[in-house]
Every structure is written in C-alpha cells, then in structure tokens.
Amino acid sequence: MKKILASAAALLGTAGAALAGGMAEPVMEMAPVIVEEQAGSSSSAGLIIPLILIALIAAAMSSSTSEVNPD
C-alpha cells in the first residue's frame, strides 16, 4: 500500500512540474490584405477553354458520322 501511495505522490509531483510555466506569449495576427481585381481584364478570358473543348467535340462528332455507311 505504501508503494502505491509513493508512486501516486511521485506522479503528482512530476505532473505539477510539467504544468508549471510562465504565461504564453501573445500571438500576433497580421492585418487582412485586400486584393482588388484589375479593371482591364477581359470578360471573355474564361471562355477560351470551353470554346476549344466545344470545337474538339464538334470535330470528333463530325469525323465519326462521316465514316458511317448508310446501308
């Protein structure tokens, strides 16, 4: 029984020392950065890739229909 009490006292002593310490330093947060969009950007810039994809699909469909025999 004395060994258990001695072990418990030792654990409590080390736990108290582990938690002891000073106050944590404050965390400095940066101010938010405001990003503005450029006024000179074109509105059709986002349409280039979809137009290329539509052209490729149309080319693939036209080449696949020309090989079909109308028997």
Side-chain angles (χ1 to χ4, degrees):
M1 183 68 134
K2 289 183 181 181
K3 287 183 181 180
I4 295 174
L5 290 175
S7 300
L11 288 174
L12 287 174
T14 57
L19 295 176
M23 189 172 156
E25 292 188 28
V27 177
M28 302 298 289
E29 294 184 12
M30 295 180 60
V33 177
I34 299 173
V35 178
E36 296 181 14
E37 294 184 19
Q38 295 178 354
S41 65
S42 173
S43 63
S44 65
L47 295 176
I48 294 173
I49 294 175
L51 289 176
I52 292 173
L53 289 175
I54 290 172
L56 289 174
I57 292 171
M61 290 180 69
S62 67
S63 67
S64 66
T65 56
S66 64
E67 295 175 6
V68 175
N69 292 331
D71 287 336

